[in-house]
Amino acid sequence: MVDPEDLAREFERAFGRSPRLYRAPGRVNLIGEHTDYNDGFVMPMALDRSTWVAAAPRDDCTIVARSREYGETMTIDAGTQRPQRPQRRHWVDYVRGVSAVLSDVARPFHPSTSSGCREIRGADLLIASDVPIGAGLSSSAALEVACGYALLDLANRPIDLVQLARACQRAEHEYAGTRCGLMDQMIACYGREGHALMLDTRTLERRWLPLPSTLRVLVCNTMVKHQLASGEYNARRADCEAGVRVLAQRFPGIRALRDATLAQLDAVRGELSDQIYRRCGHVIAENARVEAAARALGDADFETFGRLMDDSHRSLRDDYEVSCLELDAMVEIALGAGGYGARMTGGGFGGCTVSLVAAGAVDDFRARVAERYLERTGNTPDVYICTASRGAEACPL
Ligand code: GLA
């Protein structure tokens, strides 16, 4: 875990003055996968693992960013900069993207600044994270949101969390090349202790659902990350958009898969490839599952919630085709180890599963999952018991 005081001391040694501290959490999505870029519903919770930024302003327009995890220090301009081509997905590109987009977003409201840096000032940043990187727990959104929060605060800008989340999403599109939805950035901003967030990604209406103390959320890391994930992600999004174009011709009210029913999808089946039909079917059914899961949670009906998670996983595996052998193995093992339900979480192609487990069964569950996954794959999985936590914030030292 990151110790904030330790981080502040490290900053003082590196940059010779005291920092302010900021953090933004990773997330696990309980249900509602690949629905957010279809105007649908999602139900993530913020993890008790965060990316931390120790930061202090500079007098020039330079951002000096140092990453503890990567052991690198990089220097970039604070103002608008073009994305690197081709996109490298280097950690500093997220910082570059956020500072560039925030400068751009802020400009119409604050036309000029005396520093000449446009809207974001130069800053020294020391970044450290205990969100596992590349494990599907949104380490990149945590990095973007923590840096964005820090840069706005150092520039004495008001922090509007929706605007910050959107700016970070745009940075991800333009500077990392993934055409992601808004789920990860919104939960990094709006996490709440002890609650999952039911988010309508069209209206951005937010409902915090209390997680009962008898329930535990467990994340099992398959320890694998398959390449091509970003290209496959964008391809899924393109399939959904192609489906919407056909649906909208027949049913003019449909703007996104959020608006369609399975009956409407069946009505245009003859005009869709089998692949697009299955992709759209997943999204439409998954949206309904999120709403059903919210009701089940309210009724403390964890069996139903668990069944919805199982259905979600099957649909992601067979119709959306974003799972992989290791995720399927982990889900099967988790179900045999006594969870209410289990599914892959996040974009897919490796990373983590999420399981709901009765509080009293957690120790057994962990031991069984670790043993069986090792037997089956030769890898020792990390299993995290997750506590729903707060979203991004400045942390007093
Ligand atoms: C990634 C994206 C999110 C969302 C999920 C899948 O985490 O960043 O916007 O689309 O995949 O649900």
Side-chain angles (χ1 to χ4, degrees):
M1 299 307 257
V2 176
D3 173 352
E5 286 178 15
D6 194 45
L7 189 70
R9 278 194 295 274
E10 191 177 328
F11 185 96
E12 278 162 25
R13 283 196 299 277
F15 296 108
R17 60 204 197 285
S18 306
R20 294 187 219 165
L21 282 186
Y22 306 87
R23 56 162 279 280
R27 64 99 187 92
V28 57
N29 188 20
L30 301 184
I31 195 159
E33 219 64 86
H34 290 277
T35 47
D36 63 347
Y37 49 85
N38 291 297
D39 276 5
F41 299 102
V42 291
M43 198 193 291
M45 68 176 228
L47 296 178
D48 46 347
R49 290 164 174 267
S50 294
T51 294
W52 290 78
V53 179
R58 293 171 60 98
D59 293 332
D60 57 17
C61 302
T62 300
I63 294 176
V64 178
R66 186 180 176 115
S67 158
R68 191 191 260 180
E69 272 63 47
Y70 290 95
E72 284 181 315
T73 303
M74 309 289 288
T75 300
I76 55 178
D77 281 337
T80 303
Q81 293 183 68
R82 299 209 168 281
Q84 302 268 334
R85 294 275 187 253
Q87 279 119 348
R88 311 168 297 175
R89 300 179 68 83
H90 187 281
W91 66 268
V92 85
D93 291 338
Y94 295 95
V95 186
R96 186 196 311 275
V98 168
S99 73
V101 171
L102 286 176
S103 304
D104 215 30
V105 167
R107 198 178 311 134
F109 306 108
H110 308 283
S112 68
T113 54
S114 54
S115 68
C117 305
R118 303 190 187 255
E119 310 311 324
I120 298 300
R121 301 177 55 174
D124 291 327
L125 309 177
L126 172 62
I127 301 164
S129 185
D130 46 41
V131 184
I133 295 170
L137 300 177
S138 277
S139 57
S140 57
L143 173 61
E144 291 152 6
V145 171
C147 289
Y149 202 111
L151 292 171
L152 287 170
D153 197 45
L154 293 183
N156 295 320
R157 298 282 164 222
I159 295 169
D160 171 328
L161 291 177
V162 168
Q163 218 180 61
L164 174 59
R166 284 195 194 283
C168 292
Q169 179 196 29
R170 196 177 129 198
E172 183 103 22
H173 284 212
E174 294 176 7
Y175 290 77
T178 304
R179 294 180 62 218
C180 62
L182 198 53
M183 165 170 74
D184 303 345
Q185 293 78 12
M186 283 294 284
I187 186 66
C189 287
Y190 282 105
R192 190 175 275 189
E193 267 168 12
H195 292 74
L197 173 65
M198 170 84 172
L199 175 68
D200 178 335
T201 63
R202 170 172 280 168
T203 61
L204 299 189
E205 185 196 331
R206 301 175 280 282
R207 263 170 64 208
W208 283 271
L209 311 177
L211 292 166
S213 59
T214 50
L215 199 62
R216 293 285 178 278
V217 175
L218 273 87
V219 165
C220 303
N221 190 342
T222 63
M223 316 305 276
V224 299
K225 179 82 197 158
H226 293 287
Q227 292 310 310
L228 299 176
S230 176
E232 288 293 326
Y233 183 95
N234 291 345
R236 295 302 178 286
R237 185 165 179 160
D239 280 351
C240 294
E241 288 164 358
V244 169
R245 281 195 292 277
V246 172
L247 279 159
Q249 270 174 9
R250 181 82 66 91
F251 305 103
I254 294 180
R255 286 193 285 135
L257 288 177
R258 150 72 173 276
D259 304 312
T261 62
L262 287 174
Q264 289 171 324
L265 183 67
D266 277 334
V268 297
R269 184 168 190 169
E271 297 162 55
L272 300 172
S273 69
D274 176 58
Q275 176 173 303
I276 292 182
Y277 174 77
R278 285 184 293 114
R279 303 289 193 253
C280 295
H282 162 75
V283 173
I284 296 169
E286 183 79 354
N287 268 327
R289 280 190 284 270
V290 185
E291 295 189 276
R295 286 193 295 274
L297 196 58
D299 296 343
D301 179 357
F302 309 137
E303 276 81 14
T304 297
F305 199 116
R307 267 198 304 280
L308 292 162
M309 292 174 87
D310 301 344
D311 292 347
S312 168
H313 184 77
R314 265 194 300 278
S315 171
L316 288 158
R317 183 190 66 196
D318 300 338
D319 291 336
Y320 219 66
E321 296 180 283
V322 290
S323 187
C324 63
L325 289 177
E326 294 85 353
L327 283 168
D328 295 343
M330 190 69 93
V331 163
E332 203 185 304
I333 290 167
L335 290 177
Y340 289 113
R343 54 183 290 281
M344 54 154 276
T345 186
F349 305 106
C352 295
T353 64
V354 56
S355 302
L356 288 193
V357 181
V362 161
D363 291 343
D364 249 25
F365 177 92
R366 279 182 100 167
R368 284 192 199 169
V369 165
E371 186 189 315
R372 291 186 195 162
Y373 188 75
L374 176 64
E375 263 169 32
R376 201 138 144 195
T377 66
N379 279 333
T380 302
D382 283 339
V383 181
Y384 319 111
I385 304 174
C386 303
T387 312
S389 303
R390 283 198 303 278
E393 59 189 355
C395 305
L397 261 174

